[in-house]
């Protein structure tokens, strides 16, 4: 399947670029997140920048580890030889998801957009945990196909931040909607897209497999 391998390679390349971008921009170029925090002035819950920034660094660090470890397990062949590594790396992914979720839980009450954004982030936190746990339960019961599918669903959620900023950029910069409203729409748009996209991918690849028989 040449087309499938090419897609995997392109996807892996784009993920690596995004991971490096997220690390460099958030931890080195704008470690104080001044522009992002400026949108929180006058919000219901006052942000304590010192603690918020520390939690945000942990959040970004483990988000990048989750993206890297998830990517390795999804694109690598799970042969007998690699099984131990796959399992160990899988645990690295799960621990990272838990830490991203916990840090997100701290930041959610201060989210740009107030209560409505906070609710969206908390909903996503619960969904991400439930989806990831479902994937683990499947592999423990040796249901490999279902495990892979639920891991794809879990991994999709790693792209939340990328999609929120993409939506926000399009709505705010291109259409002129206020930053905060664009961010709220971006958050819910990202959640919807990240839940639907894996199902679309499963259907398309099923159809392609059927056509190849
Ligand atoms: C895995 C990839 C992720 C990366 C690279 C990432 C990165 C970031 C960054 C850099 C921020 C600071 C604000 C900004 O510039 O956007 C942030 C904020 C936040 N993230 Fe994540 N994040 C990821 C996934 C998630 C997920 C899956 C959730 C929820 C389940 C989440 C919840 C939050 C919350 C609640 C905030 C605070 C938002 C606000 O203050 O408005 N993040 N994230």
């Amino acid at each position: 399947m040449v087309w499938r391998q090419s897609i995997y390679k392109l996807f892996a390349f784009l993920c690596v670029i995004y991971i490096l971008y997220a690390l460099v921009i958030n931890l080195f170029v704008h470690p104080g997140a001044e522009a992002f925090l400026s949108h929180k002035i006058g919000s219901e819950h006052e942000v304590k920048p010192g603690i918020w920034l520390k939690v945000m660094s942990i959040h970004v660090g483990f988000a990048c580890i989750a993206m890297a470890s998830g990517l390795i397990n999804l694109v690598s062949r799970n042969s007998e030889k690699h099984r131990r590594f796959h399992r160990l790396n899988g645990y690295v992914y799960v621990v990272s998801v838990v830490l991203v979720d916990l840090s997100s839980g701290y930041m959610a009450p201060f989210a740009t957009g107030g209560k409505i954004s906070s609710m969206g982030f908390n909903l996503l936190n619960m969904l991400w945990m439930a989806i990831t746990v479902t994937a683990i339960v499947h592999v423990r019961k040796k249901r490999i196909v279902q495990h892979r599918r639920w891991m794809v669903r879990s991994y999709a959620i790693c792209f939340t931040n990328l999609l929120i900023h993409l939506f926000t950029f399009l709505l705010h910069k291109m259409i002129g909607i206020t930053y905060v409203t664009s961010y709220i729409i971006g958050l819910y748009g990202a959640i919807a897209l990240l839940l639907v996209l894996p199902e679309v991918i499963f259907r398309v690849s099923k159809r392609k497999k059927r056509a190849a028989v």
Side-chain angles (χ1 to χ4, degrees), residues 138 142-151 153 202 209:
H138 278 305
K142 311 265 182 256
R143 299 185 202 125
I144 305 303
V145 176
Q146 287 97 323
H147 166 64
R148 196 173 163 81
R149 284 188 165 214
W150 283 95
M151 268 303 174
R153 290 183 179 113
F202 299 148
K209 259 186 212 157

Side-chain angles (χ1 to χ4, degrees), residues 120-121 124 127 156-168 171 182-198:
F121 277 119
L124 192 60
L127 280 175
I157 296 175
C158 288
F159 296 90
T160 306
N161 194 258
L162 171 74
L163 278 188
I164 293 176
H165 284 286
L166 198 66
F167 274 119
T168 307
L171 297 172
S182 305
Y183 190 86
I184 297 168
I185 300 172
L187 169 62
Y188 284 94
I191 296 175
L193 204 60
L194 292 172
L195 292 178
V196 168
L197 209 61

Side-chain angles (χ1 to χ4, degrees), residues 16-199:
V16 172
I17 299 284
Y18 176 59
I19 293 167
L20 293 175
Y21 172 84
L23 278 177
V24 171
I25 291 292
N26 294 297
L27 303 186
F28 300 104
V29 180
H30 301 299
E34 294 84 1
F36 187 75
L37 286 175
S38 72
H39 299 290
K40 296 184 187 296
I41 293 170
S43 65
E44 210 180 314
H45 296 273
E46 203 188 321
V47 176
K48 294 184 183 75
I51 308 174
W52 190 90
L53 286 171
K54 276 196 190 96
V55 175
M56 198 270 280
S57 305
I58 295 170
H59 181 76
V60 174
F62 282 102
C64 290
I65 296 174
M67 279 192 284
S69 56
L71 177 67
I72 292 168
N73 271 9
L74 282 178
V75 301
S76 63
R77 263 184 225 134
N78 188 12
S79 63
E80 204 58 54
K81 210 173 94 192
H82 295 124
R83 200 162 282 174
R84 266 191 68 182
F85 174 78
H86 182 93
R87 192 182 301 159
L88 195 74
N89 191 39
Y91 283 120
V92 171
Y93 174 80
V94 173
V95 170
S96 306
V97 168
V98 170
L99 291 168
V100 175
D101 246 18
L102 288 176
S103 51
S104 161
Y106 167 81
M107 292 192 290
F110 310 106
T112 308
K115 212 173 219 166
I116 188 154
S117 295
S118 172
M119 276 162 45
F121 277 119
N122 283 327
L123 170 74
L124 192 60
N125 271 338
M126 289 187 279
L127 280 175
W128 203 18
M129 217 54 242
I131 290 172
T132 310
V133 168
T134 306
I136 298 168
V137 170
H138 278 305
V139 78
R140 293 226 154 226
K141 296 194 171 166
K142 311 265 182 256
R143 299 185 202 125
I144 305 303
V145 176
Q146 287 97 323
H147 166 64
R148 196 173 163 81
R149 284 188 165 214
W150 283 95
M151 268 303 174
V152 170
R153 290 183 179 113
S154 169
Y155 192 66
I157 296 175
C158 288
F159 296 90
T160 306
N161 194 258
L162 171 74
L163 278 188
I164 293 176
H165 284 286
L166 198 66
F167 274 119
T168 307
F169 176 81
L170 291 175
L171 297 172
H172 179 55
K173 295 272 185 214
M174 306 269 190
I175 303 180
I177 299 173
T178 62
Y179 182 89
V180 173
T181 306
S182 305
Y183 190 86
I184 297 168
I185 300 172
L187 169 62
Y188 284 94
I191 296 175
L193 204 60
L194 292 172
L195 292 178
V196 168
L197 209 61
E199 311 310 317

